[in-house]
Amino acid sequence: MKQPNPLLEKMQAILPTIAANAAQAEIDRTPPEENIRLLREVGFFRAFQPKAYGGSEISLPEFTDCVAALAGACGGTAWGASLLATHSHQMAMFSKQAQEEFWGDNPDATASSSIAPFGQTEETEGGVIFNGNMRWSSGSDHADWAILGFNRTDVSGNKLYCFGVVPRHEYTIIDDWYAAGMRSSGTKTLVLKDVFIPEHRIETAKGMMEGRSAGFDLYPDSDIFYTPYRPYFACGFAAISLGIAERMLEVYKEKTKNRVRAYTGAKVGAATPALMRLAESTHQVAAARAFLEKTWQDHKEHGERKEYPSADTLAYWRTNQAYAVKMCIASVDRLFEAMGGMSWFNDNEGQRLFRDSHMTAAHAYTDYDVCAQILGRQLMGLDPDPSMV
């Protein structure tokens, strides 16, 4: 039996407003200010923030339930806002000095990110000089900082994948987000020119995955920070796919129940094919939720036991979520393809759910072609392929 989820209970009151804003959010191509304000007021952005700065440190299953519910109201808002929230988990692994700069004067501070290592750096005394046009920074309009990916070289000549944290006033946001899916996520480009990032605001990805970052042991009593950063960073993608699929079940029922065929007057909602499609997608979405909940519960229990996941466990965590996304998209497609021509109009919620659903599989973390190879190699005892991130 599920435990009470106070954050989800608070969110139920604001979800109708967020859903009502969804059409305008797509036009604006960014989460509306009202949505962000409402989410901040109920404490959504404090979910993974350290309690030392006023955060709630809720469990991963609690958070993903909230993200799925939010995605049912507006997928783009869920995409941008969930990343603003999950980045707090990553920030808790940076140095204490970096965290003080980040939250010390503004406990409500959040970060967007662009973590593919496209940034160019030059080593300098005390840090690096960063340049780059960093794309795919979701929710950036509402962030106070940015977490950016880049490569640097250690003393032995080895390439190190790193993250650097930069305040908002040191980069420019380019409004170039014109996309078919997740239009309201505000996934824009950050431009940095000769920005100095000090060492205390830099960590390696490897260190954050292996418990060797500067902030790893700052919160020994916490149940959520004794864990690799990546599963928490990426948890929202599958939760959003699930929430969209669950909402599509409701939309299909609403639209099909009283639908009649234009040329014959036949009642579609009572036809056997419509019922069979609904039944199979309902089973598929339920299976995806059960699979994800089991995976997220495993995350939670590892953190509570202060047990770092094995390579096998990490492979399953990563690929389970991608497979669930694949199931969610299949369930959405099965319904959308039978919803008729009217479903393609921009004012029909079904077409937005269809578009946003497919975007949930477009992220590198949820690409099942990659994930199937990762798990397959792990199952066969082969070394990881470095080209499979």
Side-chain angles (χ1 to χ4, degrees):
M1 184 176 179
K2 277 191 173 183
Q3 297 297 313
N5 187 338
L7 178 57
L8 182 58
E9 292 171 5
K10 292 178 183 177
M11 287 182 63
Q12 297 301 331
I14 68 172
L15 291 178
T17 300
I18 291 174
N21 290 339
Q24 187 61 45
E26 284 221 311
I27 294 171
D28 295 341
R29 296 172 294 106
T30 192
E33 290 283 354
E34 183 179 26
N35 291 5
I36 298 299
R37 176 180 58 78
L38 291 171
L39 289 167
R40 181 172 287 113
E41 288 174 354
V42 299
F44 180 81
F45 297 115
R46 292 186 180 271
F48 292 152
Q49 183 184 30
K51 290 179 180 178
Y53 293 100
S56 53
E57 296 186 23
I58 67 173
S59 71
L60 190 63
E62 289 175 287
F63 180 73
T64 49
D65 266 354
C66 293
V67 174
L70 180 57
C74 178
T77 293
W79 190 278
S82 67
L83 284 166
L84 294 179
T86 59
H87 289 145
S88 291
H89 184 275
Q90 190 175 4
M91 273 307 306
M93 297 185 179
F94 278 82
S95 68
K96 184 65 175 176
Q97 184 178 356
Q99 292 183 48
E100 277 295 311
E101 292 175 351
F102 193 91
W103 285 306
D105 293 330
N106 180 14
D108 287 323
T110 58
S112 65
S113 70
S114 178
I115 63 171
F118 296 137
Q120 302 299 311
T121 59
E122 176 186 344
E123 296 292 332
T124 190
E125 184 177 356
V128 299
I129 302 296
F130 190 103
N131 284 278
N133 286 13
M134 306 299 288
R135 303 195 69 179
W136 307 102
S137 192
S138 302
S140 52
D141 290 324
H142 305 286
D144 306 282
W145 296 74
I147 301 174
L148 308 172
F150 62 95
N151 290 317
R152 67 194 309 193
T153 305
D154 66 15
V155 293
S156 301
N158 300 310
K159 185 170 67 174
L160 296 176
Y161 175 32
C162 299
F163 302 121
V165 186
V166 176
R168 173 71 171 265
H169 67 270
E170 294 186 354
Y171 57 84
T172 301
I173 299 175
I174 302 299
D175 185 3
D176 57 358
W177 183 239
Y178 295 91
M182 293 296 169
R183 289 176 179 168
S184 55
S185 65
T187 304
K188 300 178 180 180
T189 297
L190 313 182
V191 178
L192 295 94
K193 296 181 179 179
D194 296 327
V195 174
F196 173 67
I197 307 178
E199 289 291 349
H200 69 269
R201 283 199 254 120
I202 297 174
E203 292 291 336
T204 66
K206 187 175 178 64
M208 287 188 164
M209 287 296 291
E210 297 178 354
R212 294 184 290 103
S213 66
F216 178 72
D217 58 354
L218 288 175
Y219 308 109
D221 296 328
S222 175
D223 288 334
I224 70 168
F225 296 127
Y226 195 93
T227 181
Y229 86 91
R230 189 175 292 158
Y232 277 74
F233 160 76
C235 69
F237 306 138
I240 292 166
S241 197
L242 175 64
I244 290 170
E246 290 178 334
R247 176 57 187 161
M248 188 61 152
L249 293 174
E250 298 305 313
V251 170
Y252 180 82
K253 286 186 285 187
E254 292 167 6
K255 301 294 184 183
T256 306
K257 186 176 182 179
N258 298 314
R259 181 183 163 208
V260 296
R261 297 203 177 278
Y263 291 94
T264 65
K267 294 181 178 180
V268 178
T272 299
L275 302 177
M276 292 174 67
R277 285 175 184 270
L278 176 60
E280 186 171 3
S281 285
T282 297
H283 274 134
Q284 196 165 29
V285 174
R289 175 172 275 281
F291 194 32
L292 286 170
E293 286 182 345
K294 183 177 185 300
T295 300
W296 291 326
Q297 182 66 23
D298 197 29
H299 287 66
K300 175 180 181 286
E301 291 173 0
H302 271 72
E304 290 172 343
R305 294 194 304 264
K306 303 294 188 288
E307 176 187 347
Y308 235 64
S310 66
D312 280 354
T313 298
L314 277 174
Y316 276 115
W317 284 356
R318 162 78 181 273
T319 60
N320 287 0
Q321 296 199 77
Y323 191 74
V325 168
K326 184 176 181 178
M327 287 197 289
C328 288
I329 292 173
S331 74
V332 168
D333 286 354
R334 183 181 299 108
L335 300 179
F336 186 68
E337 66 186 13
M339 287 174 68
M342 292 297 292
S343 65
W344 286 95
F345 278 77
N346 282 339
D347 62 354
N348 189 295
E349 186 180 358
Q351 55 79 33
R352 172 169 59 83
L353 294 170
F354 171 77
R355 290 185 286 103
D356 285 354
S357 174
H358 278 268
M359 187 64 101
T360 65
H363 195 279
Y365 198 84
T366 53
D367 183 334
Y368 192 70
D369 283 349
V370 171
C371 288
Q373 295 176 73
I374 289 173
L375 183 58
R377 293 184 70 86
Q378 188 68 31
L379 292 171
M380 292 299 291
L382 300 174
D383 291 335
D385 183 341
S387 69
M388 300 293 164
V389 177

